Amino acid sequence: MALDMSSGSLSWLVPFFFGQAVFLWLFVLLLLGTTAQATTKRVLGLVVLGAVTYFQEYLIVQICLARNRPLWAGTAGSLLWVQLLSASDLLLALRVDSSQLPPGQTSSTHAAGLLWSMRRIGTRWQVKTAAAASQQSRAGFVFSRAATTLGVYLFVDFLVSMPPPDPSLIQISKATLFSLHELHTEDVIFRVSMTIAYWVSTGVLVLFMNNLGAIVVVLLNISQPEDCIPLFGSFLDAFTVRRFWGVTWHQMFRSFLTGHADLVVDNFLPFLPRHSLISRYTRLAIAFFISGAIHYRADQLMGVPNNENGAIIFFMLHALVIMAEDTIAPVVSAVLPLSIRRILGLFWVLIFFVWSTPIWSYANTRVGNDAASLLPVRLIGPWAAQYLNAT
């Protein structure tokens, strides 16, 4: 399949957005035009949506790589699969149809908007850990989110201006999980700083994309300001790994991850008692595996070799440690007061992330993609680079 990659041509936009239009049209048709129990029709429709997603990924990845934007390829490609999983969650896991939508929200626009309302805000399917909404006027919301988004953009611009790390610090052996005694003091210091920088930069990028989307849907009157609740919870509440993922970190993937985990267990492992420990932990492991697979694919598209791609390992480690936390939680709760548990727990979570993150993040760094290529426009980059080089 040949594509016109000349810098002056935007012909690639036509098939990509045609594919997106087809995706949205078919999704809305399935959501509003079939009943919740029309499983066969919905499954067949999702097969077509999967084919459209694959076609879109091919287009957007080729374009991004042709323009030397591998980070865009990874981000855009993975978001397309997130869109498909959201559609599958709504159609098969939650079984949403027109009869379940509030009056006045059964239009094609609202149905399409539900696809990207990942936390299902304002619906009966809203994720339980979503933060409380703040009351703002439309103008006040747009102004405050725009100001925050600009600040986040400038911060990212500064981060990507920093020089890359010494290659010796990110070798495969340095990401070890079990041979920690072989690490030098310099390696440990770098491991801590790199882990913190990795999660801060990831968080602000997610915040930027979420704010940008929120501004657009509020301006278009698709959503109200109260529907766009804060993305993250308090990091002071992340005193266990379970709480980090379930309370503090964004819950954008929670609905479709748990929804698909339920689909797998209920349909392929029906012999597991619904509320048994093994059933709950099987669902937990499947949810983390799906999340790992999404991030694995994003890393692939950014050029990370398969034999170095640690995304699935990283996420499965977190599923296992949550199980371990649940096992010892009653003992810890009986021995230590909540205030002490919070303080020690925050250190525990930091230590665990410092231990587990390099198996995933170092491979991305070794690829050597220019982090600055993530931004379409540099606002403070040149000055920040001069300052960093001078110091």
Side-chain angles (χ1 to χ4, degrees):
M1 182 176 181
L3 293 174
D4 182 2
M5 299 297 174
S6 63
S7 58
S9 173
L10 294 179
S11 60
W12 62 273
L13 286 172
V14 176
F16 176 80
F17 283 110
F18 175 76
Q20 183 63 17
V22 170
F23 188 103
L24 292 175
W25 171 79
L26 182 54
F27 166 73
V28 171
L29 182 64
L30 291 169
L31 187 74
L32 300 181
T34 63
T35 64
Q37 302 307 317
T39 302
T40 301
K41 291 181 179 179
R42 291 187 168 202
V43 169
L44 291 176
L46 284 166
V47 170
V48 177
L49 291 178
V52 173
T53 299
Y54 183 81
F55 170 73
Q56 288 183 283
E57 184 201 60
Y58 175 81
L59 288 174
I60 200 66
V61 168
Q62 294 303 315
I63 295 304
C64 290
L65 295 182
R67 286 157 175 76
N68 196 28
R69 302 276 186 173
L71 297 178
W72 285 16
T75 301
S78 60
L79 287 178
L80 289 171
W81 293 107
V82 166
Q83 177 180 246
L84 177 65
L85 287 168
S86 179
S88 178
D89 178 46
L90 290 164
L91 295 171
L92 291 184
L94 298 177
R95 298 283 181 172
V96 180
D97 62 20
S98 58
S99 67
Q100 302 173 53
L101 298 178
Q105 295 190 17
T106 56
S107 67
S108 298
T109 301
H110 282 98
L114 185 61
L115 179 66
W116 277 99
S117 179
M118 295 294 182
R119 294 179 290 175
R120 318 301 184 205
I121 306 302
T123 72
R124 57 190 285 192
W125 310 283
Q126 179 170 325
V127 296
K128 294 181 181 179
T129 54
S134 58
Q135 299 298 320
Q136 286 182 296
S137 66
R138 188 178 300 275
F141 174 86
V142 171
F143 178 80
S144 63
R145 285 296 178 99
T148 301
T149 304
L150 177 59
V152 166
Y153 193 93
L154 294 176
F155 180 71
V156 173
D157 199 355
F158 177 79
L159 283 181
V160 299
S161 301
M162 301 184 72
D166 186 331
S168 65
L169 294 173
I170 54 174
Q171 298 174 16
I172 295 177
S173 61
K174 301 298 184 180
T176 180
L177 293 173
F178 304 109
S179 300
L180 300 177
H181 62 280
E182 298 179 1
L183 300 178
H184 303 297
T185 302
E186 183 183 20
D187 297 320
V188 175
I189 294 173
F190 175 78
R191 195 174 181 123
V192 172
S193 59
M194 182 69 167
T195 297
I196 295 173
Y198 184 82
W199 285 99
V200 168
S201 59
T202 300
V204 295
L205 284 171
V206 173
L207 181 62
F208 172 79
M209 291 188 290
N210 180 76
N211 278 357
L212 202 60
I215 291 170
V216 171
V217 296
V218 169
L219 283 175
L220 295 177
N221 202 29
I222 296 175
S223 296
Q224 302 302 313
E226 55 268 24
D227 296 328
C228 304
I229 62 178
L231 187 59
F232 295 103
S234 172
F235 280 83
L236 294 177
D237 289 331
F239 52 91
T240 66
V241 175
R242 176 183 281 280
R243 290 182 64 86
F244 175 88
W245 290 113
V247 176
T248 298
W249 199 243
H250 72 81
Q251 303 299 298
M252 302 293 285
F253 293 178
R254 186 184 184 99
S255 180
F256 71 71
L257 290 178
T258 58
H260 284 86
D262 288 342
L263 278 175
V264 172
V265 174
D266 291 343
N267 288 281
F268 298 100
L269 301 171
F271 51 85
L272 295 179
R274 186 70 168 81
H275 298 292
S276 66
L277 189 65
I278 188 172
S279 177
R280 288 192 288 111
Y281 283 160
T282 300
R283 295 168 201 270
L284 175 73
I286 293 172
F288 271 91
F289 177 82
I290 296 171
S291 182
I294 294 170
H295 292 88
Y296 185 95
R297 182 54 178 163
D299 291 349
Q300 275 187 321
L301 297 177
M302 288 187 280
V304 175
N306 290 341
N307 62 340
E308 297 180 23
N309 197 327
I312 293 179
I313 295 174
F314 171 83
F315 283 96
M316 293 308 294
L317 283 173
H318 283 245
L320 290 173
V321 84
I322 288 174
M323 298 177 198
E325 283 182 340
D326 290 350
T327 302
I328 66 172
V331 177
V332 175
S333 299
V335 174
L336 299 175
L338 179 59
S339 58
I340 300 299
R341 294 204 310 271
R342 282 180 174 271
I343 295 172
L344 295 179
L346 289 172
F347 281 105
W348 149 246
V349 172
L350 176 61
I351 291 170
F352 180 73
F353 271 81
V354 169
W355 175 70
S356 61
T357 299
I359 198 68
W360 176 29
S361 65
Y362 280 18
N364 284 289
T365 309
R366 282 196 301 271
V367 172
N369 291 325
D370 180 14
S373 68
L374 184 66
L375 303 179
V377 179
R378 304 297 304 281
L379 299 178
I380 63 171
W383 295 276
Q386 289 181 6
Y387 173 76
L388 291 170
N389 290 332
T391 56

